[in-house]
Structures are given as structure tokens and as C-alpha cells.
Amino acid sequence: EVQLVESGGGLVQPGGSLRLSCKASGFTFSGYGMNWLRQAPGKGLEWVSGISGGGVEYYSESVKGRFTISRDNSKQEAYLQLNDIKIDDQGMYYCGRSWGLNIVQGQVPAQRGQGTQVTVSS
């Protein structure tokens, strides 16, 4: 059974940083791209970033230069480092497994976890 468990969210001030983690199990982690998506209150699901099985990184324009995605295949974990956080970054962040090795930006993932909440407030 595929499982994705996110952690690391919390309350942060504008300009602050957080590191989100996604622990994966139930599939060959290195064989799939991994994504981060988010959903702000009252809005739809937004693709934020993805990393292919080979480590190629992709970012949405709204987070490029501020967020960094990474993965550790030996631990079966993916990460999203959030720096210079803005009010608009607030929302539930989800880890999602791609349909294959590569990333298709904006594609709905094959599976996603339950999410971790990022709240931005001064």
C-alpha cells in the first residue's frame, strides 16, 4: 500500500523558514517523481514543485528562488525547504507521487498524503 506522510508544517512569520518532509512507503521510491502541492483556504489545489527520480527540480513561478525541493532515496523521503515565506504561501501542503519517473508540471499526482498545515502570521 502506498503511503505518504507529511510533517514539518506550523506557524511561521512572514520572511521565516520551514522545512517540510514527506515519508514514503509501499513503492520503489527512486522510480518515481515526487511533488509538493498546496491548497489555500477557499482555493483549488496548486502544484508547487517537483523532483524527478533522477533529481531534476521544477518549481512554479510563485515559489522559484524561495523554495527548494530535494529527496533522499536511501531514506525514502522528499523535502521542501520554504524560505522567505509570504502570506500567500499559507495553506495545506501535500506530498504527491508522480505517475512515473519524471515530473509533469501541474499534473494531478497518482497519490498524495494527508497534508501538513503552514500558517503564516505576524
Side-chain angles (χ1 to χ4, degrees), residues 44-116:
L45 194 62
E46 175 191 10
W47 179 87
V48 174
S49 182
I51 184 167
S52 71
V56 180
E57 305 168 25
Y58 302 86
Y59 300 93
S60 69
E61 287 300 319
S62 62
V63 307
K64 194 175 293 184
R66 299 187 298 119
F67 292 8
T68 303
I69 192 170
S70 60
R71 63 189 296 158
D72 186 333
N73 289 342
S74 67
K75 295 182 178 179
Q76 297 202 141
E77 293 187 351
Y79 310 98
L80 188 68
Q81 177 70 39
L82 288 66
N83 294 330
D84 188 23
I85 292 174
K86 304 181 185 303
I87 292 289
D88 288 347
D89 294 324
Q90 178 166 290
M92 185 70 78
Y93 280 71
Y94 300 94
C95 169
R97 192 191 83 167
S98 287
W99 293 90
L101 186 66
N102 296 315
I103 298 297
V104 178
Q105 297 186 54
Q107 185 180 51
V108 175
Q111 285 93 16
R112 62 181 167 107
Q114 295 300 307
T116 185

